[in-house]
Amino acid sequence: MYLLEHDAKTLLEKAAVPVPRGLLLQGEDDGRGRLAEGAWVVKGQVAAGGRGKGGLVKKAGTADEALRLAGGMMGAAFKGRRVQAVRIEEQVSGAAEVYISLMINAAAGGIQVILSEQGGMEIESVPADQLLSETVSADAAAVVACVDRLVRAMPARKAAALAEAARKLAGLFFEYEAVLVEINPLFVMEDGWVAGDAKIVTDDNALDRQPWLRQLLEDRAGAYPETVLKRQHGFDYVVVDPEGDIGLLTTGAGLSMMLIDELRADGLKPYNFLDIRTGGFRGDPSRLVSVLSWFGEAPSLKAVLINVFAGVTDLGEFSALFVEALKRAPSLRVPMVARLVGNNQEAAQRILGQSGIPLYTDLKPATDHLRKLLATC
Ligand code: GDP
Ligand code: MN
């Protein structure tokens, strides 16, 4: 899961990484009476980068101004997400901004370390030859040794800050089974350093071993709806475009991603990613009922495309469960098109045919049909 900055900073504090002191506003809490006079930074909490450029990171000279800015950010839309919480933290001034990230490099079977003497909002335009990067074996000692090596050519204060940060971040990375830890900017002052921003992504598959992260999910369920869903239901469902109009009922992560790409290349707007894992149905339509109900709550959704490529799955069984699920999710009232290929296709034809859902074995005619349906909605 992609931790919101406030939660990532709470985790950093546990690992003794210095962060600016801050508080979180959410729900009805407008922060009145909780903020001392001072210079603050007001930061909209969304799981996306580029907030600074998008107006979600603003400086305030007084407590009143900070609260006013926070009120203005609350509810704002940014990159398809909504700001439901705002962090206000002490403003750092007169500091240099450097960059450090640790990331799993799955292809190399190691950890990729990236450092830059120039951090901050323009990190993407730092020339590649000024980024220091190396992939090392996946253990904390190797990461620390790598950073010690890479900072040798840097000015003393930046080098010392990055080396110290690396020790703490490497520990945290492995202890919490992260896939990415990025601090940008890491502020370097005359007399120390502090993490100005934090992006931490952890491995959802490791949650069973991570009590602190599970507790966070419980305490802040509203902030992580997709991870909560995956844990409760045992499959993956992600809204990829809140304004999309095609609900995808699909299985297989790779196939589902490819379908999203193909539909988009075709000018269509898929609403969600789904790997429902038909193998886990065991004769129970409740996963299908859940997905159809979520579709029913999506205001932009106009049609559903069912796409199942069945190797082991019996498409007759799948279709019968699907028809059952439709009865249990009456809130969904949009046309559907199915593309089913594989094991026991003929039974699927018969069962879906009876419920009036057109069935294709190729994708192209299915999406053509979908396009016609969308044109008449
Ligand atoms: P992002 O744009 O989503 O990565 O959000 P950041 O938290 O990184 O904030 C964007 C930029 O705002 C940073 O790169 C800093 O340049 C600036 N910034 C954030 N907090 C402070 C602060 O306390 N003091 C100063 N001087 N700049 C800040
Ligand atoms: Mn940042």
Side-chain angles (χ1 to χ4, degrees):
M1 65 204 260
Y2 182 151
L3 300 190
L4 292 178
E5 178 199 10
H6 178 82
D7 297 330
K9 282 181 167 167
T10 306
L11 185 53
L12 289 181
E13 283 182 305
K14 273 178 67 69
V17 174
V19 302
R21 274 193 302 168
L23 55 88
L24 185 71
L25 306 187
Q26 54 183 339
E28 297 298 299
D29 180 8
D30 64 2
R32 222 146 278 284
R34 288 217 286 142
L35 209 58
E37 257 336 304
W40 299 99
V41 182
V42 181
K43 312 183 80 174
Q45 299 295 296
V46 278
R51 294 169 304 156
K53 289 183 177 166
L56 289 188
V57 177
K58 289 188 172 156
K59 292 181 184 169
T62 64
D64 262 358
E65 188 188 2
L67 295 180
R68 195 160 34 77
L69 287 171
M73 279 180 201
M74 204 66 94
F78 182 71
K79 297 191 176 170
R81 293 164 198 276
R82 213 158 268 292
V83 177
Q84 288 173 320
V86 176
R87 177 177 166 94
I88 303 182
E89 65 177 26
E90 286 173 349
Q91 201 180 111
V92 176
S93 56
E97 302 186 4
V98 300
Y99 175 99
I100 178 168
S101 70
L102 311 178
M103 182 173 52
I104 289 187
N105 178 340
I111 304 293
Q112 184 176 12
V113 178
I114 305 178
L115 303 181
S116 170
E117 238 186 273
Q118 248 91 54
M121 286 198 284
E122 301 305 328
I123 189 70
E124 263 126 45
S125 51
V126 173
D129 60 356
Q130 285 177 31
L131 294 176
L132 304 174
S133 171
E134 233 178 78
T135 296
V136 296
S137 64
D139 66 83
V143 169
V144 167
C146 169
V147 172
D148 284 349
R149 214 166 36 243
L150 292 176
V151 298
R152 263 184 216 149
M154 285 191 199
R157 270 197 286 128
K158 288 182 175 176
L162 285 168
E164 193 183 319
R167 281 162 174 76
K168 296 178 170 170
L169 297 176
L172 175 149
F173 191 95
F174 293 102
E175 187 177 346
Y176 293 91
E177 297 180 80
V179 292
L180 170 73
V181 172
E182 178 191 67
I183 308 297
N184 183 40
L186 186 147
F187 289 120
V188 182
M189 291 91 74
E190 297 273 338
D191 56 349
W193 59 277
V194 63
D197 187 15
K199 175 173 177 180
I200 298 180
V201 182
T202 59
D203 183 352
D204 283 350
N205 297 311
L207 270 172
D208 283 333
R209 293 188 294 266
Q210 294 295 338
W212 189 85
L213 291 166
R214 284 203 309 274
Q215 189 62 47
L216 175 69
L217 263 190
E218 235 169 77
D219 296 344
R220 316 235 310 109
Y224 302 102
E226 283 153 359
T227 313
V228 170
L229 277 178
K230 179 180 164 117
R231 273 190 75 70
Q232 283 174 350
H233 299 276
F235 63 90
D236 294 283
Y237 173 86
V238 180
V239 173
V240 294
D241 177 3
E243 284 159 13
D245 50 14
I246 304 172
L248 296 183
L249 209 145
T250 50
T251 190
L255 187 66
S256 305
M257 282 193 270
M258 208 170 73
L259 181 64
I260 290 174
D261 287 345
E262 286 191 28
L263 292 177
R264 284 185 173 162
D266 227 9
L268 295 167
K269 287 172 69 180
Y271 173 73
N272 66 293
F273 164 88
L274 172 68
D275 178 8
I276 202 164
R277 304 201 191 124
T278 47
F281 283 179
R282 309 257 180 274
D284 177 1
S286 56
R287 287 186 186 185
L288 289 164
V289 177
S290 299
V291 173
L292 294 177
S293 309
W294 300 329
F295 284 171
E297 289 159 15
S300 59
L301 205 118
K302 296 195 187 117
V304 169
L305 174 63
I306 305 155
N307 188 43
V308 178
F309 204 93
V312 178
T313 299
D314 182 316
L315 288 175
E317 254 174 64
F318 169 82
S319 301
L321 287 175
F322 186 77
V323 170
E324 176 60 30
L326 277 178
K327 286 187 211 143
R328 297 202 210 162
S331 64
L332 182 65
R333 308 207 160 279
V334 297
M336 304 194 182
V337 177
R339 186 262 186 145
L340 302 178
V341 201
N343 187 13
N344 209 3
Q345 217 166 285
E346 303 69 29
Q349 195 97 44
R350 190 161 26 80
I351 295 165
L352 289 184
Q354 279 164 7
S355 58
I357 297 174
L359 180 72
Y360 298 94
T361 51
D362 287 322
L363 188 58
K364 181 81 174 73
T367 51
D368 285 346
H369 192 138
L370 204 58
R371 196 188 300 279
K372 276 198 209 109
L373 286 173
L374 288 169
T376 60
C377 296

